Amino acid sequence: MSESSYSVTELALLLGAETVTSDYLIDGIGTLESATETQLSFLHNSRYQSQVSASAAGAILVTEAHRKDVQTVALVVDDPYLAYARATALFANNGRAVSQLVSPSAVISSDARVAADAVIGPHVVIGERVTIASGVVIEANCVIGTACSIGENTRLAANVTLYSDIEVGKDCLIHSGAVIGADGFGFANSNGDWVKIHQLGGVNIGDDVEIGAGTTIDRGALDDTVIGNGVILDNQIQIGHNTIIGDHTAVAACTAIAGSTRIGKRCTIAGACAIAGHLTIVEGTHITGMSMVSRSILQPGAYSSGTAAEPHQQWKRNAVRFRQLDEMSRRIKKLEKTVKQQNIEGQP
Amino acid sequence: MSESSYSVTELALLLGAETVTSDYLIDGIGTLESATETQLSFLHNSRYQSQVSASAAGAILVTEAHRKDVQTVALVVDDPYLAYARATALFANNGRAVSQLVSPSAVISSDARVAADAVIGPHVVIGERVTIASGVVIEANCVIGTACSIGENTRLAANVTLYSDIEVGKDCLIHSGAVIGADGFGFANSNGDWVKIHQLGGVNIGDDVEIGAGTTIDRGALDDTVIGNGVILDNQIQIGHNTIIGDHTAVAACTAIAGSTRIGKRCTIAGACAIAGHLTIVEGTHITGMSMVSRSILQPGAYSSGTAAEPHQQWKRNAVRFRQLDEMSRRIKKLEKTVKQQNIEGQP
Amino acid sequence: MSESSYSVTELALLLGAETVTSDYLIDGIGTLESATETQLSFLHNSRYQSQVSASAAGAILVTEAHRKDVQTVALVVDDPYLAYARATALFANNGRAVSQLVSPSAVISSDARVAADAVIGPHVVIGERVTIASGVVIEANCVIGTACSIGENTRLAANVTLYSDIEVGKDCLIHSGAVIGADGFGFANSNGDWVKIHQLGGVNIGDDVEIGAGTTIDRGALDDTVIGNGVILDNQIQIGHNTIIGDHTAVAACTAIAGSTRIGKRCTIAGACAIAGHLTIVEGTHITGMSMVSRSILQPGAYSSGTAAEPHQQWKRNAVRFRQLDEMSRRIKKLEKTVKQQNIEGQP
């Protein structure tokens, strides 16, 4: 819940819409269906066009084409969805107001350098030689290991864990339960026993990165694991050691990326994918949900794998056939040969 | 380990079994194979019928049909598994006894309202305007954000994180590592850069809900994400923003449900599934493990996808053929046409 | 970053290499490409052979066959990767140095038994009747439930949660965000409502076990969940109640193993697999990434399932055909019959 309000004139100005003159106050955002008369709404998908004229919203972000559908005030922009995104920043209050800068219950190493205006929540633990820049907010119960550095205005939600030697850029947001810098899964095998390869690298996270709840990013074996600028990672993603994720790449929830894979810039990887280790995935690759990527992708484009849900009994029959596919293929080939032979023999 | 004990007569009464007269004391529960003579056991699956007569258990929950197999005391019920479930509640001690109501190390906002009999563990942090009802237990190191409300007798295990504006009903159990209310994954794209859509909705969780360890439920973009009454969620599930899960639906571990999907009542979704966003899945749908659901399911029933493990070398050959499936299908069609033609030509 | 250094002579001795006489000091490890002249490197894969002669590394672990390629000092061993693993232990400093044994902010039950040399970090909570052995390190914000026992030299990274009645062996490493002993997902259904089966078992973890960040291991329903000696578990793995994992088995990230499954010794299970409950998987089984295992595996060997990513448009056509597979198979059979008949009829 927000306590901000803006006149329609101000909103038009702030969101880059065509100028509107109105003192009418807007105090929130709602969907076309649910917005009240003091809320802003938006038309993002023409599927919802019919809802525009029925909407009670006090102002609606639309493109020129839909201006006439709005019964209240139209705020005309090129990209209503983008304008909506910008509007959410105006009405967000981050909901986790702090009453003091450094909680007395935080345990901060004496040689950590914490900016005077940084906020350190209750029960936070900050290790030796940590650097916390101006405007940083570390919420309750986070643990920051030795020699980490956190850039300006970055925010860690409650219960985030950073191991040692993690570098986080500025303007990042890391959600609760994320673990950055745990050991990569590296072991040598000695007569059947696993011998640990201690992970001596760190993690390097760029600027403007968002990391979702419960996401884990492992430290490198020797070199660092690297997350580029502007990368957005959803919840419960796993990123193996020494993986490199290019700038502005987006990864949706529950995707697992194994170690030493390099993903290019501006890729989108949907949820629940599994990407093997030591691969190269080029800039501009888009991978759909639940795909298995076991080879490098060297041409930009969209890639998929898997099979979609169907009624169980029908699936059972098809899934059995999957295991006969190679045999089926051979039978087709044999049939083609036989039929061709018959054709020849059948010729007069 | 429990410190409770009950006479067989009491147990029969408490579990709704046929009346039995016996002062014999039962102090725990075991499987048919491992139960000692002071433990209760149960026959759930007739596969294990042969173990009944050999079991040392002091009393055994069985249906009428198996009464004669029990060498000690038969507790005859309609549904032994359900009676066993009820018996576990008698012997559970929750193992996390607390010696005082509010730990002195908890940090509780001065305007939070905490019921006099609520238990607040060590290092818990409770934000502004939070309401904690009677009988609630918040275990160690949990963080409860601004303006949350937690209903009667709900229990949060250690290290649970609630962001702001989360409403949790009564009699819920939330396991460690769960994160409720982190930002949904909403971004608009502006010339290749991601612009954050601040997530202004909350999360609304009904009564009698269980949420597993490490499960994440994102807050809504504008409206709330909703978890119905009696829903049970296993570990490491991901639930996107504005998803709605109907009453009494069960979801097993590691399933990912993307945003704005509506799942009906009394569905069962097995583990490791991936369900796309903006879908409708009707009441009474059952989805088997590791299925990919990318379209709405509008007819109740069982659904599946995927292929089952087979020896690797064999799989390799079949998986290659999967990528030739469309071509194979065309070749079959062509063969059918040719053969039909030959048949016609072959007619005398 | 390490502060250790060793002469080349010492390193050869410590890593079991052929004797070398050199006072030259090595202070770290690097890849062949990045190592500086005071660092050790290694040739693990002959693909990188060409990098050996160009490497600036002060010493390089190689097999006899590659001794001649090294321009600086060759450290000749049988298994350079294993020697590298051992070398990492020499240069690891664990990066999370502690300045005192028991943090004053830890809350430790008065009847817990904590060894005099154990390290208990800030805000750790230790419940009643817990036993912490010599050399144990419990990092910040961990919570250890009632009646747990932790063996010698085991280390818990920050923010680990152990419920009650968890037994952890010696020399284990448990990473941040791991949750051990949450309730297994056990419910009986009573007319559409779920009745909780309280989980009365514990978790028993052997010696030399590593557990990754965010991994969850549920407590048993009646008996314990069991993790054998030398098992290595990567991040975000889910292990259901009463599952048994045999000694020295390795499981990669994001794999889900349902309840009551028994996995043998020395298996390797790759990432993102889903393994159903109540199965038996024999010793020496190897499962490739993202496989779905829904039946027991009774013969050792490698197993796989799934389909690999391909261009999206092509995949769409093939995925549609998957749902026609059974029909395709029947059509092939029919064709074979017809063609055979034609052949017979075609005989002169």
Side-chain angles (χ1 to χ4, degrees), chain A residues 1 3 28-31 34 42 47-48 79 81-99 103 105 122-123 139-141 157-159 173-177 210 213-214 230-236 248-254 266-268 271-272 289-292 294-295 305-313 315-316 319 321-333 335-340 342-343, chain B residues 105-107 122-125 128-129 140-143 145-147 159-165 177 179 181-200 214-219 221-223 235-239 254-256 272-274 278 286-288 290-295 297 302-310 314-315 317-325 328-329 331-332 334-335 338-339 342 345:
Chain A
M1 279 151 280
E3 285 117 41
I29 311 182
T31 60
S34 69
F42 64 102
R47 241 196 310 170
Y48 301 113
D79 183 343
Y81 195 63
L82 181 57
Y84 152 59
R86 292 193 170 125
T88 61
L90 301 176
F91 293 103
N93 67 359
N94 289 315
R96 307 137 212 165
V98 284
S99 49
S103 167
S105 64
H123 307 132
E139 296 192 51
N141 289 18
N159 268 325
L173 173 55
I174 306 183
H175 283 285
S176 297
E210 184 158 338
V231 168
I232 52 174
L233 302 175
D234 198 355
N235 296 349
Q236 296 196 47
H248 306 291
T249 281
V251 184
C254 300
R266 302 189 198 286
C267 295
T268 59
M290 216 185 194
S291 293
M292 171 165 80
S294 46
R295 294 200 180 176
S305 79
T307 67
E310 58 184 320
H312 178 70
Q313 291 303 331
W315 168 80
K316 263 175 83 175
R321 299 300 185 192
F322 178 84
R323 289 192 257 169
Q324 305 168 351
L325 258 185
D326 187 49
E327 185 216 328
M328 277 168 64
S329 175
R330 290 172 192 280
R331 285 160 65 192
I332 293 173
K333 201 169 182 182
L335 275 167
E336 287 170 334
K337 208 173 158 186
T338 311
V339 168
K340 195 178 172 191
Q342 289 181 349
N343 255 349
Chain B
S105 64
V107 174
H123 307 134
V124 165
V125 178
E128 296 176 13
R129 290 175 284 126
N141 290 18
C142 288
V143 178
T146 306
N159 268 323
V160 167
T161 308
L162 266 54
Y163 280 61
S164 60
D165 297 307
V179 177
D183 287 344
F185 198 58
F187 296 84
N189 199 292
S190 171
N191 299 317
D193 289 6
W194 298 107
V195 178
K196 182 174 180 67
I197 298 172
H198 293 264
Q199 303 288 301
L200 307 178
T215 284
T216 53
I217 303 176
D218 282 347
R219 66 192 311 106
L222 295 172
D223 301 329
N235 296 350
Q236 296 194 47
I237 289 166
Q238 151 68 3
I239 296 181
C254 299
T255 280
C273 293
H278 298 272
H286 305 284
I287 302 176
T288 64
M290 216 183 195
S291 292
M292 172 165 79
V293 181
S294 45
R295 293 201 181 176
I297 294 179
Y303 294 83
S304 304
S305 79
T307 67
E310 58 185 321
Q314 179 182 315
W315 167 80
R317 287 190 296 268
N318 292 327
V320 163
R321 298 301 185 192
F322 178 83
R323 290 193 259 168
Q324 305 167 351
L325 258 185
M328 278 169 64
S329 174
R331 285 160 65 192
I332 293 173
K334 194 175 163 193
L335 275 168
T338 312
V339 169
Q342 289 181 350
E345 289 170 3

Side-chain angles (χ1 to χ4, degrees), chain A residues 146 163 192 198 218 304 306 321, chain C residues 88 95 175 235 266 312 315 326:
Chain A
T146 307
Y163 281 61
H198 293 263
D218 283 347
S304 303
R321 299 300 185 192
Chain C
T88 61
H175 283 284
N235 296 350
R266 301 188 200 288
H312 178 70
W315 168 79
D326 187 49

